[in-house]
Amino acid sequence: MPEIADYRIVNIAQSDIYRVVADIKTYPQIFDYIKSVEVLRKSAGKEVARITVGLGPFKFSYVCALNYFPNKQIKIRLIRGPFRHLRSVLTFESTGPSQTKASYDFSCEFKSALMERLAGPIMRFELQRSLRLFEVYVTAQLVRGISVT
């Protein structure tokens, strides 16, 4: 069962990194293991999305609910998919004018014991890279002078 809890102190304003993390449609550009994101429903502070993941030879989709708490937190929970459970909490705490503590807490378990054994370790590896990839992506956008909004 992949469980990841990590944080990074990044030299990026809280609002900038939050906007990038909250824009799930950009995830296929940031993470090579996310193949597509389809927003199925959107309302104030909430989205329901289908995310398609490719981990080595494994490809699967799941539907999740995302609850947004602007500039502070994003909570993700499973609606349906190949998991027994999936939950994620991303938290953003300003530690200075242009510095943020970005925390990531993720847990999931595949329904299939075979998928858990084979895809679980690959998923754990990819998830461990996630905060660093967000940091690199946001920094590159800011250096280019591209708005991250």
Side-chain angles (χ1 to χ4, degrees):
M1 165 169 49
E3 290 188 30
I4 304 294
D6 196 8
Y7 76 92
R8 294 185 66 78
I9 304 294
V10 295
N11 293 317
I12 300 168
Q14 180 180 7
S15 60
D16 288 337
I17 194 157
Y18 174 85
R19 275 194 301 273
V20 170
V21 175
D23 186 5
I24 63 170
K25 293 180 296 284
T26 64
Y27 283 19
Q29 298 168 30
I30 301 169
F31 306 108
D32 54 0
Y33 65 93
I34 296 183
K35 302 306 178 189
S36 67
V37 173
E38 178 187 3
V39 175
L40 304 173
R41 278 192 306 273
K42 190 172 186 167
S43 61
K46 297 180 182 181
E47 285 182 319
V48 173
R50 176 179 295 111
I51 298 176
T52 301
V53 175
L55 297 168
F58 307 102
K59 186 176 180 183
F60 56 87
S61 295
Y62 62 94
V63 176
C64 61
L66 298 97
N67 292 316
Y68 298 100
F69 305 90
N71 297 327
K72 303 266 188 242
Q73 193 173 68
I74 301 169
K75 291 184 177 183
I76 303 168
R77 68 173 176 79
L78 178 68
I79 295 175
R80 67 180 171 275
F83 300 102
R84 203 176 309 283
H85 84 271
L86 178 146
R87 70 157 182 76
S88 183
V89 178
L90 300 101
T91 305
F92 309 91
E93 179 185 342
S94 179
T95 56
S98 291
Q99 193 175 66
T100 304
K101 178 180 179 182
S103 302
Y104 183 59
D105 187 8
F106 179 92
S107 174
C108 74
E109 181 180 5
F110 286 97
K111 291 176 187 173
S112 160
L114 181 62
M115 279 292 283
E116 185 69 25
R117 263 193 320 245
L118 298 176
I122 301 169
M123 190 164 187
R124 178 186 307 278
F125 172 79
E126 294 296 348
L127 291 168
Q128 287 173 327
R129 298 184 325 139
S130 295
L131 281 178
R132 178 68 183 139
L133 291 172
F134 272 128
E135 181 183 13
V136 168
Y137 180 80
V138 175
T139 301
Q141 298 304 306
L142 294 173
V143 166
R144 286 191 203 131
I146 298 171
S147 171
V148 292
T149 58

